Amino acid sequence: MQADELARVRFHVRPDAWTAWLLLVPEPADQTAQLDQALDVEGDLRGVAAYLLETVCAQAHFQAATAPAAATQIKVGKIELKRAQGSSAAAVQGDDWCSRAATLRGQLAEGARLARRQGSMSIPVEVSF
């Protein structure tokens, strides 16, 4: 992947997801290999960005699901309630990244749909002078 292509992918994913990607895939050679493979499969930089966002989204949801739950105690009169809280911040961040990925996938699908529509129209035309 060329530097200008990488810059466009970083733009699409935004700094928060890019930082999460760097933490998830810390080796530069692994980052390059995965992004190059994503470009080969997706064929579009927005598809690469969607792949990256989906990857960090899945990791954030995994972290939220496996994080030790912190208990909150609430006392109401003589009744004491305990409520477990998971890592909701990670889940919310994951939801945001998944939403961004879905938006990019939607843009790609719309572009493909328009390209098919434009490419499928044919009209026989007779010209005589």
Side-chain angles (χ1 to χ4, degrees), residues 46 105-121:
R46 288 173 297 174
R105 294 273 184 213
Q107 290 173 1
L108 289 170
E110 181 64 16
R113 187 183 67 74
L114 290 174
R116 280 192 308 273
R117 183 189 304 168
Q118 290 174 352
S120 65
M121 184 180 288

Side-chain angles (χ1 to χ4, degrees), residues 58-70:
Q59 182 63 26
H61 282 138
F62 176 77
Q63 288 175 344
T66 59

Side-chain angles (χ1 to χ4, degrees), residues 41-83:
V41 171
E42 300 288 345
D44 186 285
L45 294 176
R46 288 173 297 174
V48 175
Y51 163 79
L52 189 148
L53 287 164
E54 290 161 351
T55 302
V56 295
C57 166
Q59 182 63 26
H61 282 138
F62 176 77
Q63 288 175 344
T66 59
T72 301
Q73 278 188 313
I74 301 171
K75 193 168 185 176
V76 180
K78 294 183 179 183
I79 301 172
E80 194 171 298
L81 304 172
K82 286 187 180 182
R83 184 179 72 190

Side-chain angles (χ1 to χ4, degrees), residues 77-102:
K78 294 183 179 183
I79 301 172
E80 194 171 298
L81 304 172
K82 286 187 180 182
R83 184 179 72 190
Q85 295 176 317
S87 178
S88 61
V92 168
Q93 186 66 69
D95 290 345
D96 180 51
W97 292 332
C98 284
S99 176
R100 288 191 229 165

Side-chain angles (χ1 to χ4, degrees), residues 14-60:
R14 299 187 200 155
D16 57 339
W18 184 255
T19 300
W21 168 257
L22 295 178
L23 292 171
L24 183 61
V25 186
E27 291 296 322
D30 294 339
Q31 295 166 11
T32 301
Q34 286 189 36
L35 294 177
D36 284 344
Q37 186 175 12
L39 183 57
D40 287 344
V41 171
E42 300 288 345
D44 186 285
L45 294 176
R46 288 173 297 174
V48 175
Y51 163 79
L52 189 148
L53 287 164
E54 290 161 351
T55 302
V56 295
C57 166
Q59 182 63 26

